[in-house]
Amino acid sequence: MKVRLTAHDENWARMFADEAEFLREIFRDQILKFEHFGSTFVPGLKAKPVIDMMCIVKNIDKIDEFNGQVRSLGYAVAGEWGIPGRRLFRKGGDTRFYSQAKNPSCRKWSKEHCSGFKKHMEVDLLLVAGGSLP
């Protein structure tokens, strides 16, 4: 797996905001709020050019009703992708978007099962240096 880290890009915050508005038009009243997280959220930090977005939604099951529309707009629909109560959507080329729709209760599950931001960065740096995962 080849990982590319780039210098922080001030445009990432704007790209997040633009994509959030784009997704709000699709999901409409199901959206409670959007959050930008991950490496691209941290100013000055090198990062993989992946805009991680979390869409907190009212009813996760209703999000499945939008899969056809989301696909037609360039997203790949990945379903729960191993995390109950989540829906993952991915799109992009050089700069990608990973958008997750979650129930508010799913955020607690994610925090309890996340090994942390520091570990995430250690893995990125290992892969950039040509290492491999165990």
Side-chain angles (χ1 to χ4, degrees), residues 39-117:
S39 305
T40 59
F41 174 69
V42 182
L45 186 68
K46 285 187 175 186
K48 295 177 292 193
V50 176
I51 311 296
D52 290 307
M53 305 179 70
M54 188 178 307
C55 312
I56 308 301
V57 299
K58 293 177 184 175
N59 183 335
I60 195 66
D61 295 322
K62 288 206 177 270
I63 297 305
D64 295 333
E65 297 172 9
F66 298 95
N67 285 349
Q69 188 177 0
V70 171
R71 273 190 195 98
S72 74
L73 297 170
Y75 276 92
V77 176
E80 286 188 330
W81 200 261
I83 299 178
R86 169 180 85 163
R87 301 299 184 269
L88 178 65
F89 304 97
R90 300 173 296 179
K91 84 168 189 179
D94 289 340
T95 299
R96 297 181 307 280
F97 291 89
Y98 287 178
S99 302
Q100 302 181 49
K102 294 185 177 185
N103 281 331
S105 62
C106 186
R107 297 182 73 211
K108 181 178 183 243
W109 187 96
S110 296
K111 287 180 183 178
E112 291 170 355
H113 293 83
C114 178
S115 60
F117 185 72

Side-chain angles (χ1 to χ4, degrees), residues 16-59:
F16 163 80
D18 290 348
E19 197 70 11
E21 284 307 309
F22 179 71
L23 292 172
R24 186 176 303 283
E25 290 298 315
I26 296 169
F27 298 120
R28 300 193 182 268
D29 66 339
Q30 284 300 311
I31 298 293
L32 294 173
K33 69 177 178 175
F34 287 96
E35 293 183 4
H36 186 184
F37 69 102
S39 305
T40 59
F41 174 69
V42 182
L45 186 68
K46 285 187 175 186
K48 295 177 292 193
V50 176
I51 311 296
D52 290 307
M53 305 179 70
M54 188 178 307
C55 312
I56 308 301
V57 299
K58 293 177 184 175
N59 183 335

